[in-house]
Amino acid sequence: MSLPPVIAIDGPTASGKGTVASLVAQKLGFHYLDSGALYRLVALASEQEGIDTQNASELGILVPKLMISFKNSQIFLNGADVTEAIRTESIGLRASAVAVHPEVRLALVDLQRSFRQFPGLVADGRDMASIIFPDAILKVFLTATAAARAERRYKQLIAKGISAKLEDLLQDLQARDARDSNRGTAPLVIAEGAKVLETSDLSIDQAVKTVLDWYQSAIA
Ligand code: DC
């Protein structure tokens, strides 16, 4: 019997891939994997345990010990609801730092693949198409200019009542882009066969519709 279909959506930080991926999953009735949340959980847990982001071996030992669960849109770490706590800029930067280590990435492979269940999965991250689901039926590289992404992040934070500086956000996301793209293991790349979706001038609805159209063509 064939495996459930996967739509892999990769892209840089704040490209809107999380929003697009979860809406595509909703429309198709598919499961959804936010793989970035897993790296954010490792970042939070390592901070709580006082483990340095450069200590690859201790981080590798920490990951299998974490009790991670997803309930609807809530995320739990060792029983505590950390849905909000993992979304801060500092945890995002820390996630990018712990994600460079092969020890951490390897420890998360099986967990990510366990999300592949019928009727299908939409997975978003940096290496969904290249490493985790290389046989994905549709591979999308979703991106936008750094300026457009910084502005989106800025608006999200302000809407939540969190103060932010556009310039700082732009610098942070450029630092994360550089680290995510230049690391030795599973760097952010446009996977072979991936379709590039430039969203700087697209609405969320337009981006979702494009992915759904591509999926229909892929299964036709
Ligand atoms: O998508 P995000 O911003 O929530 O991801 C946070 C960090 O996690 C990102 O800067 C790099 C890392 N990450 C990764 O290395 N591989 C993935 N598949 C997803 C995220």
Side-chain angles (χ1 to χ4, degrees):
M1 194 167 134
S2 59
L3 290 166
V6 176
I7 299 176
I9 303 185
D10 292 301
T13 188
S15 57
K17 63 190 180 332
T19 309
V20 172
S22 66
L23 285 169
V24 169
Q26 238 178 57
K27 294 261 183 205
L28 294 171
F30 279 15
H31 299 278
Y32 168 54
L33 167 62
D34 169 7
S35 64
L38 301 178
Y39 291 92
R40 287 170 180 269
L41 287 168
V42 176
L44 181 65
S46 65
E47 191 176 72
Q48 289 170 347
E49 302 275 322
I51 301 173
D52 194 277
T53 55
Q54 304 216 13
N55 193 335
S57 56
E58 273 205 46
L59 288 168
I61 294 167
L62 170 76
V63 178
K65 290 197 276 187
L66 302 178
M67 279 170 35
I68 296 172
S69 60
F70 292 82
K71 273 184 212 136
N72 303 320
S73 50
Q74 282 170 300
I75 303 174
F76 294 84
L77 174 64
N78 302 325
D81 182 349
V82 295
T83 317
E84 293 290 317
I86 60 165
R87 293 295 156 199
T88 64
E89 285 303 299
S90 75
I91 289 295
L93 276 172
R94 196 177 167 93
S96 163
V98 298
V100 303
H101 304 300
E103 291 85 344
V104 171
R105 307 198 68 84
L106 212 61
L108 289 172
V109 170
D110 288 348
L111 176 60
Q112 293 175 87
R113 292 194 176 140
S114 73
F115 281 77
R116 184 176 197 165
Q117 288 179 19
F118 286 104
L121 174 71
V122 182
D124 95 56
R126 304 294 186 289
D127 60 345
M128 296 298 98
S130 56
I131 309 281
I132 307 297
F133 303 110
D135 62 338
I137 188 159
L138 173 64
K139 300 178 177 183
V140 178
F141 189 87
L142 202 140
T143 188
T145 62
R149 290 184 284 129
E151 196 164 321
R152 283 180 194 165
R153 177 64 51 85
Y154 178 78
K155 284 185 186 154
Q156 276 170 2
L157 291 172
I158 297 300
K160 282 191 200 162
I162 302 168
S163 72
K165 274 203 198 138
L166 192 58
E167 250 171 61
D168 293 350
L169 292 173
L170 184 61
Q171 265 179 24
D172 280 0
L173 75 83
Q174 281 169 334
R176 274 171 68 187
D177 280 358
R179 185 156 45 197
D180 295 349
S181 304
N182 296 322
R183 66 181 176 222
T185 309
L188 172 67
V189 287
I190 303 179
E192 217 185 299
K195 290 179 179 292
V196 177
L197 183 54
E198 219 307 333
T199 66
S200 304
D201 298 319
L202 291 187
S203 68
I204 291 168
D205 282 354
Q206 286 170 318
V208 169
K209 186 176 179 310
T210 306
V211 176
L212 288 171
D213 287 348
W214 283 346
Y215 178 65
Q216 290 311 327
S217 306
I219 59 170

